[in-house]
Amino acid sequence: AGTRAAQQEVLDLLAAHLVEQHPDRYSRNGPAVSFGARAVALDAGEAPLVIAGSLVQEDLVLMRRDDSGWRLVAGYVAFPSSWTLSEKFGRRMEDIHAPVPDFSEGTRNALLINRMFDNLKPEQPVFRFNWSINPDADLHYPPSKAHGPLPDGHPLSLDTPFARVERQTLRKLPLSGDILFTIRIYTDPLAALRTLPEATRIAAVFADQLEALTLPQAAYKGLAGKRADLVAQLRAVAAG
């Protein structure tokens, strides 16, 4: 409730951006935006965030500030990573991140994120990446599929699992002051790492990241007790 204007702001900004910045893919035809064989009516009568979410691969989430902090007040989420919109809806950012090591309320990371949200400028969006390792390449990964540690008997190697990468962006909306949080999911087999032009460097960096995870961080990613074998294989690739 109360987010319709902000949702419309997202749809207006996105529709204009796609046509202006990607004219080879998107075109405006009256009240519709067309791409490929599809045409999405911008005045279809649905919630504007639902229409916006059907234009791009990204999931779209609106965060709004109140006296207690930044809350998730609206969202279009097709490709969750071991969560659901209903469980996070209406919650403060600190509560949303409570299961994440070093990001719960009162931690330095939580304070930094709140400060960044408070100081974000409409003309200066930001982005970040994170990653996980999953048994399969499914884009839709709700809690019912959440594996925690990789299943018993499922080896953690370069040959079978998949890397799941989230590209996340934050943009302060100039009219409403809400923040649009976007999430784009990419999945690739870990085995593809061997074919990359900079395979040796990337393998070394990945091994370093795995070894640098604290035990709580490794457990959160489902890698506790299993990363040593993967690190050894990555070091072998890094050594040529």
Side-chain angles (χ1 to χ4, degrees):
T3 65
R4 194 85 177 192
Q7 291 187 44
Q8 188 64 48
E9 185 179 4
V10 171
L11 178 57
D12 293 343
L13 286 169
L14 183 60
H17 172 83
L18 293 173
V19 172
E20 292 169 4
Q21 299 297 321
H22 302 280
D24 56 326
R25 297 186 180 185
Y26 291 87
S27 61
R28 183 69 181 262
N29 300 300
V33 170
S34 300
F35 52 101
R38 297 188 61 199
V40 174
L42 303 183
D43 58 354
E46 296 183 273
L49 208 59
V50 172
I51 300 172
S54 65
L55 290 172
V56 290
Q57 295 92 336
E58 282 82 359
D59 286 336
L60 308 173
V61 172
L62 277 177
M63 304 294 294
R64 176 169 292 176
R65 189 76 155 89
D66 65 16
D67 292 340
S68 64
W70 288 90
R71 291 185 180 275
L72 196 165
V73 293
Y76 178 99
V77 179
F79 306 122
S81 298
S82 303
W83 62 284
T84 65
L85 183 57
S86 59
E87 72 174 299
K88 306 294 186 183
F89 183 77
R91 299 176 69 185
R92 296 181 311 146
M93 189 159 49
E94 294 90 335
D95 301 322
I96 290 171
H97 287 120
V100 184
D102 305 319
F103 277 85
S104 58
E105 186 164 10
T107 61
R108 180 175 181 273
N109 286 328
L111 294 172
L112 288 174
I113 291 176
N114 270 293
R115 190 176 305 149
M116 180 180 69
F117 272 47
D118 288 340
N119 295 324
L120 197 63
K121 307 297 182 187
E123 67 275 11
Q124 192 176 35
V126 297
F127 73 95
R128 67 181 290 269
F129 292 89
N130 68 21
W131 58 270
S132 59
I133 297 176
N134 287 10
D136 57 54
D138 287 359
L139 293 174
H140 181 68
Y141 225 85
S144 60
K145 286 204 66 179
H147 50 76
L150 290 174
D152 290 340
H154 197 294
L156 184 55
S157 70
L158 285 177
D159 297 318
T160 49
F162 290 77
R164 181 184 181 93
V165 175
E166 294 185 17
R167 180 185 187 272
Q168 304 174 350
T169 74
L170 295 169
R171 200 275 168 97
K172 175 71 74 68
L173 298 176
L175 298 180
S176 65
D178 293 342
I179 289 179
L180 175 65
F181 173 49
T182 77
I183 312 163
R184 169 72 187 272
I185 302 296
Y186 301 83
T187 63
D188 288 286
L190 284 184
L193 185 148
R194 295 190 182 101
T195 68
L196 299 176
E198 296 185 78
T200 56
R201 181 187 66 81
I202 293 171
V205 170
F206 193 8
D208 290 343
Q209 286 194 13
L210 285 169
E211 289 184 327
L213 293 174
T214 65
L215 188 56
Q217 290 169 343
Y220 177 74
K221 289 181 177 289
L223 303 176
K226 292 196 173 189
R227 56 178 161 170
D229 289 342
L230 180 56
V231 167
Q233 293 177 55
L234 290 167
R235 295 293 184 205
V237 173

